Each structure stands twice: as structure tokens, then as C-alpha cells.
Amino acid sequence: MKIQSRVDLRPYTTFGVEAWAESFVCVSTTEELRDALAWARATGVVYQVLGGGSNVLLTGDVTGLVILVRLLGREVSMRHDDVVIRCGAGESWHSVVTWTVENSWSGLENLALIPGTIGAAPMQNIGAYGTEQAACFVELDALDVATGEVHTYRKEECAFGYRDSVFKQKLRNKVIITSVTYRLSTAPSINSTYRDVADELVERGIVSPLVADIYDSVVAIRRRKLPDPEEIGNAGSFFKNPVVKAEFASQLQSSNPTLPMYPQKDGSVKLAAAWLIDQCGWKGVREGDAGVHVNQALVLVNYGNASGSQILDLATRIQASVYQKFNVELEREVNIW
Ligand code: FAD
Ligand code: NAP
């Protein structure tokens, strides 16, 4: 384990904004992770954990120690139709999904091409195209920062919700995820209800899709619709879709007949944050190198040399204008450092 001083963090987050870490370490085993935490404690500095940096906006230099989690490894066990995979927290999410699809194991195919690591996936219970990682989740191992011990969290302990989990709430900064276990199936269970996916399958002339067809469709849709962080800095959706009371949503729809509304199982209604932002005139707006993506108003972008605080300032003004026009509060999805 090698602690480095003053490290440029630009390559480590998908926003690609300039920021420096006072100290930096890359850990590839649980032992190294313990050593890094012990070093931070002994030197009296705070620490931050980074996976793929695709859900973080750096608004300035980071004091203390940045720990880059790169614990690797994949284990497989099979029982009848079930395939249980256990992956190290530092494995690339999309590489793991690709590997499962290559083996015709179904469960994660709708979540293809999401950047980042396995260890960060349970943090906000990543989701897309009609599913969430919680659907296949079995358990995870996480190091307790206070005791240095590894504890296994079963699904019922994780409080998974819409882009939410216990690790983002009560256990934030208290544990570091070291591995995650998912249950998949060799008997395909296809989920093609999401409109874009259904349309793409029709376009491809596929009537009875296989796991690989869903994966290919999702990859194609995402490549078409979303900015590639390799080309334009971004962290995906900057805000969560607001979930509001049904009564409020129908009031809003009576004065905004085209407002998209998605009723939830608990009676609440999810609104499309991108639509609200677009209606306030933000889609495609560019201020210097900070902007709102031209095709997707939920994605804030760095065209080159925007600073994190410029992007945050833009985000704050977007929140204020949506609140003023619709009386709806947009909650940030991206973690601000
Ligand atoms: P990071 O950005 O490195 O970290 C995110 C948070 O998790 C930080 O608070 C960090 O401290 C913490 N963390 C990271 N690793 C660990 C660990 N091992 N233990 C404890 N805490 C940890 N998200 C979706 O939900 N659905 C999408 O469809 C989606 N699409 C995206 C598309 C694009 C183009 C981009 C850029 C982002 C997208 N995202 C999406 C957001 C992002 O990819 C996910 O949230 C992803 O899981 C973040 O992983 P990461 O490793 O990059 O996490
Ligand atoms: P989209 O298809 O244009 O839809 C806009 C919004 O409407 C989405 O956010 C989605 O909510 C909601 N929606 C659409 N159809 C729905 C349905 N049948 N049931 C419930 N909600 C529905 O969205 P998009 O921007 O192209 O993104 C496609 C998918 O990828 C979405 O699931 C989105 O969450 C995911 N994505 C996430 C990120 C991120 O950073 N979090 C970035 C890019 C894409 P949901 O978001 O709840 O699905």
C-alpha cells in the first residue's frame, strides 16, 4: 500500500473537473483497506472513498485521504437454475454485467452500461430501464470503519429504496463495501416493459428476446441518448426524479397536461425531473464549459474546463427555478465533495 501526496483527481471522476487530493491510496485487498484507515486515524486526517467516480462532483481540493477501492475477484456457484455471483467491490459494474450476459445468466441485463464499480451499486441502489440492482441482490460484505471488522448485510438490512439504501443514510461513512453477492438465473426472465426497450426490440424485429437482446438494446439506447463521459464530462442524472403525493401530482397535471406521471405502488407519483427542468428552459443551456445536456435535461455536463463549483452553482439555480415554477423540490442524486 503506497500513500501518495497531492494527486490530480481529474482522471478519477467522470465529471473530469480539476481537483487535487491531499493524500491518495489505491487499495486492492481488505487488509490494505484496514491499513489505509489506520494510517488516516494515526495521522488524524479524514478519508473519502472513491469507486469509479461516476456519481461524485468535486467542488474543490479534497483534504485528507482519498481511498480508491480496487478489490477485485469474481466467484460463481450454481444450484439448479440459480447462479450466485460474488464480486469484489472494485470490479467494473458493466464488465460484470457483460460477463453474466455472455454466460446467459439473466438478472442484470437491463442495467448494462452503467459506469462505476460493483461496490457503489448498492449505495444508491442503481436502477434503469425498469429494474434495480436490489432485484438480484443477496448480500454484501462491508468493513466497519470503527472496528475494522467485516460484517455481512443481508438484503432486508439494506433498506433499498428508489436510488437509496441504508449505506447512503444511517451507515454513510461508517462502512466500506468490500464485495457484493447477486443471485441470477439460467432460466431467462425477460423484462422488456420499459418503453424505450420495447421500441428498440420492435425496431430490431425481435419478438421473443433473449438476455443478450435486452443487453444489446439497452447498450444501443444508452449510446444514442446519453453523453459518453469519455467525451463529455458528466455523472449521469444530477437529480432524482421527485416522488410526490398523488393529489399534488394531479393538481400539477391539471395546469400542465403533458406532465409525465408514473404512479408508484405505495400510491405516490413519480414525476420526470428532466421534463420539469426542460419546461424551465434549461435543456441545452451552456454557461462557459458548464451546461445542461442538449438531449437530456437531467444530465449536467462539463464541456472541458468547468469547475465543480460552477456546475454546482448551475445545479442550484436549476433547483430554484423548478421550485419557483412547479413548487417541486429536486433532490440531488450526485454526491458533492
Ligand atoms: P463513485 O462515484 O466513486 O461513488 C459514489 C458514492 O459511493 C460516493 O459517496 C462514494 O464515497 C461511495 N462509494 C463508492 N464505493 C464505495 C464502497 N466500496 N463502499 C462504500 N462507499 C462507496 N446510476 C443509476 O442508478 N442508473 C443509471 O442508469 C446510471 N447511469 C449513468 C450514466 C452515466 C453516463 C453516468 C456518468 C452515471 C450514471 N449513473 C447511473 C450514476 C453512477 O454510475 C452510479 O451511481 C454508480 O453506481 C456509481 O459508481 P462509482 O463506482 O462510480 O461510485
Ligand atoms: P426516459 O426513458 O426518457 O424516461 C424519463 C424518466 O421517466 C425516467 O427517469 C424514468 O424513471 C421515468 N420512466 C420512464 N418510463 C417509465 C416507466 N415505464 N415506469 C416508471 N418510470 C418511467 O429516461 P432516460 O433518461 O432515457 O433514462 C433511461 C433509464 O436509464 C431510466 O431508468 C433512468 O433512470 C436510467 N438512467 C439513470 C441515470 C442516473 O444517473 N441515475 C442516468 C441515465 C439513465 P426512472 O429513472 O425511475 O427509470
Side-chain angles (χ1 to χ4, degrees), residues 54-55 110 114-115 124 126-132 162-163 193-196 218 221-222 225-227 234-241 260-264 270-275 295-299 333-334:
S54 62
N55 206 13
N110 292 53
I114 299 181
Q124 71 157 15
I126 57 169
Y129 300 100
T131 192
E132 294 173 337
Y162 169 60
R163 304 292 188 269
T193 51
Y194 201 92
R195 193 164 145 206
D196 273 3
V218 168
I221 299 164
R222 295 186 79 106
K225 281 185 89 169
L226 289 165
N234 76 89
S237 306
F238 202 90
F239 305 103
K240 287 163 73 162
N241 287 320
M261 303 208 306
Y262 300 101
Q264 304 296 288
K270 188 178 72 184
L271 306 176
W275 187 91
N295 297 330
Q296 173 46 286
L298 203 45
V299 179
E333 184 176 305
V334 170

Side-chain angles (χ1 to χ4, degrees), residues 17-270:
V17 295
E18 183 170 355
W20 294 74
E22 188 181 10
S23 304
F24 180 93
V25 66
C26 175
V27 296
S28 51
T29 63
T30 307
E31 254 336 290
E32 285 185 355
L33 181 55
R34 281 198 189 95
D35 289 349
L37 290 168
W39 182 89
R41 229 181 344 263
T43 38
V45 299
V46 290
Y47 73 89
Q48 298 271 27
V49 176
L50 202 55
S54 62
N55 206 13
V56 167
L57 176 65
L58 306 173
T59 56
D61 291 345
V62 183
T63 49
L65 179 65
V66 171
I67 303 175
L68 190 72
V69 173
R70 288 293 177 267
L71 283 82
L72 303 179
R74 299 175 190 183
E75 291 165 18
V76 184
S77 55
M78 303 187 78
R79 195 156 177 254
H80 306 299
D81 284 349
D82 278 0
V83 184
V84 176
I85 60 166
R86 180 171 181 263
C87 301
E91 289 278 347
S92 144
W93 174 266
H94 178 64
S95 303
V96 168
V97 174
T98 305
W99 168 64
T100 63
V101 171
E102 282 165 357
N103 283 287
S104 301
W105 301 333
S106 93
L108 300 179
E109 58 279 4
N110 292 53
L111 302 175
L113 217 61
I114 299 181
T117 56
I118 286 282
M123 289 295 294
Q124 71 157 15
N125 184 24
I126 57 169
Y129 300 100
T131 192
E132 294 173 337
Q133 65 87 46
C136 299
F137 181 92
V138 178
E139 62 186 28
L140 62 76
D141 282 351
L143 186 88
D144 183 314
V145 173
T147 64
E149 285 178 11
V150 173
H151 178 75
T152 300
Y153 291 87
R154 309 277 311 165
K155 187 172 177 181
E156 55 275 18
E157 297 172 84
C158 297
F160 290 127
Y162 169 60
R163 304 292 188 269
D164 204 13
S165 75
V166 73
F167 309 103
K168 240 181 118 171
Q169 305 293 342
K170 209 171 76 185
L171 293 178
R172 183 182 271 273
N173 297 332
K174 294 199 166 68
V175 301
I176 300 175
I177 297 165
T178 54
S179 73
V180 187
T181 302
Y182 292 105
R183 177 173 287 109
L184 311 174
S185 177
T186 52
S189 126
I190 299 295
N191 172 356
S192 58
T193 51
Y194 201 92
R195 193 164 145 206
D196 273 3
V197 177
D199 289 351
E200 182 71 22
L201 291 169
V202 170
E203 186 79 10
R204 290 168 177 245
I206 297 168
V207 181
S208 306
L210 303 173
V211 172
D213 296 320
I214 299 292
Y215 171 93
D216 289 343
S217 300
V218 168
V219 168
I221 299 164
R222 295 186 79 106
R223 290 224 164 98
R224 229 173 18 239
K225 281 185 89 169
L226 289 165
D228 178 355
E230 294 288 325
E231 289 159 19
I232 307 175
N234 76 89
S237 306
F238 202 90
F239 305 103
K240 287 163 73 162
N241 287 320
V243 179
V244 299
K245 290 200 170 122
E247 198 187 344
F248 175 77
S250 41
Q251 274 168 16
L252 208 56
Q253 204 180 40
S254 58
S255 43
N256 300 276
T258 57
L259 174 79
M261 303 208 306
Y262 300 101
Q264 304 296 288
K265 284 190 193 123
D266 64 359
S268 61
V269 172
K270 188 178 72 184

